[in-house]
Amino acid sequence: AELTDPPGRRVVEGKRQAVLAAPGSAAAWGELGMAFDAHEAEAEAAECYRRATDLDPNDPRWPFLLAGQLNRRGTADDRE
C-alpha cells in the first residue's frame, strides 16, 4: 500500500504473483524481497528474506540480504 510508484507497484505485484504460484519456492520469495528492498519497503523485504532462508538454508543469498536489511535498520539484538 505504501508503494505509490506505478512501475514499482507492477514489479512487486509481478513478484507477488510468482510467490502465490509457487509458495514453496525460495527463489520466488527472495526475488519478492529484492523487489521490496529496491522500493524501500524494508520490513516486507526482511520477512521475504526470512522465508526464503527457511525454504532454502543452503542458498547464501537470502541470509546475506537479510543481514544487510537488519544491519541497516535493526536494533542491537537484530544486528547480533
Side-chain angles (χ1 to χ4, degrees):
E2 296 177 11
L3 292 175
T4 57
D5 178 46
R9 287 181 72 93
R10 281 193 297 275
V11 168
V12 169
E13 182 57 27
K15 299 299 181 183
R16 189 179 80 80
Q17 290 300 319
V19 165
L20 292 174
S25 169
W29 279 99
E31 289 179 15
L32 178 58
M34 289 189 285
F36 278 129
D37 205 354
H39 293 93
E40 299 177 355
E42 291 88 4
E44 293 85 351
E47 287 305 312
C48 291
Y49 294 147
R50 280 188 180 97
R51 182 72 178 131
T53 298
D54 289 344
L55 290 169
D56 187 0
N58 294 320
D59 188 332
R61 294 177 291 176
W62 315 132
F64 176 80
L65 291 168
L66 176 59
Q69 269 295 325
L70 296 176
N71 193 40
R72 284 192 301 274
R73 71 171 180 85
T75 64
D77 290 340
D78 287 338
R79 287 182 181 192
E80 187 66 29

